[in-house]
Amino acid sequence: MVHVEDSAPDHRVRCLRYKEIDHRREVPGGEAKEAIELGKRVLKVNGMKKYYEVRDNSLRALFAGKRIRHVKANEELSFTAREGETVAIVGESGCGKSTFAKVLMGLETSTEGEVRHNGKDISEVAVRDRSAKQISSLQMVFQNPFDTLNPSHSIGGQISRVIKKFGVETDKKKIFDRVMILLDTVKLPRDFYFRKPRQLSGGQKQRIGIARAFAGNPSMVIADEPVSALDVSVAAAVTELLMDIQREHKTTLLFISHDMSVVRYLSDRIVVMYLGHILERGTTEEIFAPPYHPYTEALLSAVPIADPEVTKREIVLEGNLPSAMKPPKGCPFCTRCHRRIGDICDNDPPLEQFVVDRHIIKCHIPLEELRQVLPVITVPGVSERLHVEQMDEH
Ligand SMILES: Nc1ncnc2c1ncn2[C@@H]1O[C@H](COP(=O)(O)OP(=O)(O)OP(=O)(O)O)[C@@H](O)[C@H]1O
Ligand code: SF4
Ligand SMILES: [Mg+2]
């Protein structure tokens, strides 16, 4: 260890050439990845609703004779995803993201509507009634890697079991070789085959979660906040890894997150959810530029920006998400909207307005007015130019 300065005797560094390091030099940014060609449509969600029944034991419910109430977790969800596409589902806690994931995985069944995967409606088919082929083609990376691995089985044993169960390989040697390839893919040493989950860090466990999800060659993977239990640097590496594997296998990825800054860099399309509803959906560029849904505008305003050159409009989202048991009668966002236009917002549910192609916004404000809204995030020289170009197009 060498002293850095005589004036700071406790500041030491284990590098003899530390004086040669130029700390002001710009760190090279990550390589931009080439866009992959999208294939056929693999998921079509059409008017999907999921209501949970809950018992209300209050005296009021007893007198009114209404003991059963409904939590409206998903309301009329409609969107599609194509082969090789990454679709992000974003929204605050409690807006119904995981409920949708559960219906897709067959852990819950829908109340109404369709969820077509590879052409087949699976919205009311529970996981126990799905074929091995259906289960293997639709896999999940869970939020918490600590809960999803069996503590008493080795890592190799747990991945092998998936390969065997889904009939990817039956021969013992071939199964072993495939586990090794999967360990290479998730960038873990091969001797992790013999380790038990408790001998792994959180980031390593989530890599195993990813290896297990891809073990059965799925056509679609749903990742429900896959890195929120990990610290920032590990989260970035695990997200990058997940994206690399998804691109290599041309898997459709549904990435659930509450963080707009994360989904900006990894998704092709974004679905913005609020209180069980889709309020806006479109390509990532469409979501990050006006016209915005007022809720999207508020979410963008919460994105942390480190660059002092970039400016951001402040929109404070007041209050909390209303109860999914007693949602507002009109627009689901009316109790918190900074652009609320009057009684119509409280009384009438807004219809979808088509901006262009598959970009939709559910709001009573006419599109022409939403197009006048200035960008939330302004990169000097870039945002203004884009905004003027977009206005010219219309
Ligand atoms: N089994 C259940 N029974 C009753 N209500 C439920 C059930 N599961 C979820 N809910 C309710 O459904 C709504 C949506 O929950 P969900 O877990 O889908 O939200 P989320 O968007 O995933 O939130 P988070 O970001 O916190 O994970 C919430 O109001 C929740 O309380
Ligand atoms: S419909 Fe009204 S309350 Fe809802 S987002 Fe639009 S302006 Fe706001
Ligand atoms: Mg959730």
Side-chain angles (χ1 to χ4, degrees):
M1 292 283 256
V2 282
H3 275 126
V4 174
E5 275 174 38
D6 287 343
S7 58
D10 286 340
H11 189 183
R12 290 159 183 241
V13 57
R14 204 181 281 278
C15 173
L16 288 173
R17 297 173 61 190
Y18 75 94
K19 283 188 179 155
E20 294 167 33
I21 299 170
D22 177 5
H23 292 282
R24 285 161 308 174
R25 211 183 70 187
E26 217 172 282
V27 180
E31 265 176 52
K33 309 247 161 89
E34 239 179 72
I36 53 172
E37 209 179 301
L38 304 181
K40 62 180 194 319
R41 190 169 67 193
V42 287
L43 178 74
K44 181 170 190 249
V45 185
N46 190 13
M48 199 284 275
K49 285 186 186 178
K50 173 65 192 173
Y51 291 178
Y52 291 107
E53 274 191 3
V54 284
R55 252 187 113 70
D56 187 345
N57 290 325
S58 67
L59 278 177
R60 211 171 58 177
L62 184 66
F63 288 129
K66 288 185 178 169
R67 302 293 296 274
I68 300 293
R69 298 186 71 188
H70 290 101
V71 178
K72 299 176 175 177
N74 284 167
E75 277 282 17
E76 302 263 357
L77 301 190
S78 297
F79 69 97
T80 56
R82 292 167 63 186
E83 188 182 81
E85 194 170 38
T86 298
V87 179
I89 302 176
V90 292
E92 278 166 278
S93 177
C95 73
K97 306 179 295 292
S98 297
T99 299
F100 170 69
K102 285 181 197 161
V103 173
L104 195 57
M105 297 302 296
L107 303 172
E108 297 283 356
T109 51
S110 75
T111 307
E112 230 179 275
E114 287 180 336
V115 177
R116 289 193 176 274
H117 179 232
N118 290 333
K120 192 172 176 347
D121 185 9
I122 53 169
S123 60
E124 288 183 39
V125 188
V127 69
R128 61 178 175 278
D129 300 322
R130 293 187 184 179
S131 65
K133 191 166 168 251
Q134 266 175 336
I135 297 173
S136 67
S137 69
L138 197 53
Q139 284 289 298
M140 183 148 179
V141 178
F142 292 89
Q143 178 173 14
N144 199 337
F146 306 91
D147 295 341
T148 52
L149 296 171
N150 187 327
S152 47
H153 291 171
S154 72
I155 296 302
Q158 299 195 47
I159 303 177
S160 302
R161 200 170 157 265
V162 178
I163 298 171
K164 232 185 307 181
K165 192 169 134 200
F166 294 142
V168 180
E169 298 289 357
T170 42
D171 175 73
K172 255 188 175 174
K173 168 82 174 69
K174 284 190 176 156
I175 292 175
F176 180 80
D177 290 347
R178 183 152 169 81
V179 177
M180 290 299 149
I181 292 169
L182 282 162
L183 285 172
D184 293 347
T185 310
V186 296
K187 299 188 171 69
L188 285 177
R190 290 186 160 200
D191 61 3
F192 272 44
Y193 184 101
F194 303 100
R195 288 211 189 175
K196 294 276 174 60
R198 70 183 147 75
Q199 296 170 309
L200 269 59
S201 72
Q204 289 166 341
K205 278 188 193 145
Q206 195 55 304
R207 283 168 194 256
I208 297 298
I210 294 171
R212 213 175 38 173
F214 282 85
N217 293 328
S219 69
M220 181 151 84
V221 167
I222 181 156
D224 189 355
E225 308 251 14
V227 295
S228 60
L230 308 176
D231 74 45
V232 182
S233 60
V234 182
V238 172
T239 307
E240 184 93 18
L241 174 83
L242 181 61
M243 297 311 296
D244 283 347
I245 303 175
Q246 177 261 338
R247 291 167 64 84
E248 195 187 319
H249 294 252
K250 280 195 118 201
T251 316
T252 305
L253 179 67
L254 296 191
F255 191 95
I256 293 178
S257 177
H258 57 266
D259 191 340
M260 289 294 264
S261 49
V262 171
V263 304
R264 174 170 203 170
Y265 295 101
L266 56 84
S267 53
D268 299 301
R269 306 180 60 75
I270 299 178
V271 171
V272 181
M273 278 187 72
Y274 184 84
L275 205 59
H277 293 258
I278 294 177
L279 295 186
E280 183 170 1
R281 61 178 153 82
T283 63
T284 305
E285 296 77 51
E286 287 164 351
I287 297 292
F288 274 81
Y292 310 112
H293 186 281
Y295 178 58
T296 311
E297 206 184 344
L299 285 182
L300 291 177
S301 169
V303 170
I305 308 269
D307 187 343
E309 302 257 296
V310 176
T311 52
K312 198 175 66 174
R313 274 196 295 120
E314 288 300 322
I315 300 157
V316 181
L317 204 52
E318 309 245 346
N320 296 317
L321 197 72
S323 162
M325 244 181 328
K326 211 169 173 293
K329 189 170 136 213
C331 169
F333 189 48
C334 69
T335 56
R336 300 165 83 192
C337 180
H338 58 288
R339 295 194 182 273
R340 188 183 158 279
I341 49 175
D343 289 349
I344 186 173
C345 296
D346 303 337
N347 298 322
D348 300 330
L351 298 175
E352 290 180 348
Q353 302 194 66
F354 284 82
V355 184
V356 59
D357 258 349
R358 292 193 288 164
H359 181 197
I360 67 113
I361 292 179
K362 231 186 220 181
C363 176
H364 286 304
I365 302 177
L367 274 182
E368 300 74 61
E369 271 179 51
L370 290 175
R371 284 199 176 101
Q372 309 293 326
V373 169
L374 289 174
V376 177
I377 300 166
T378 312
V379 185
V382 178
S383 310
E384 294 95 335
R385 198 193 66 230
L386 282 177
H387 190 57
V388 170
E389 278 172 11
Q390 275 176 351
M391 296 289 289
D392 286 350
E393 274 174 28
H394 297 280

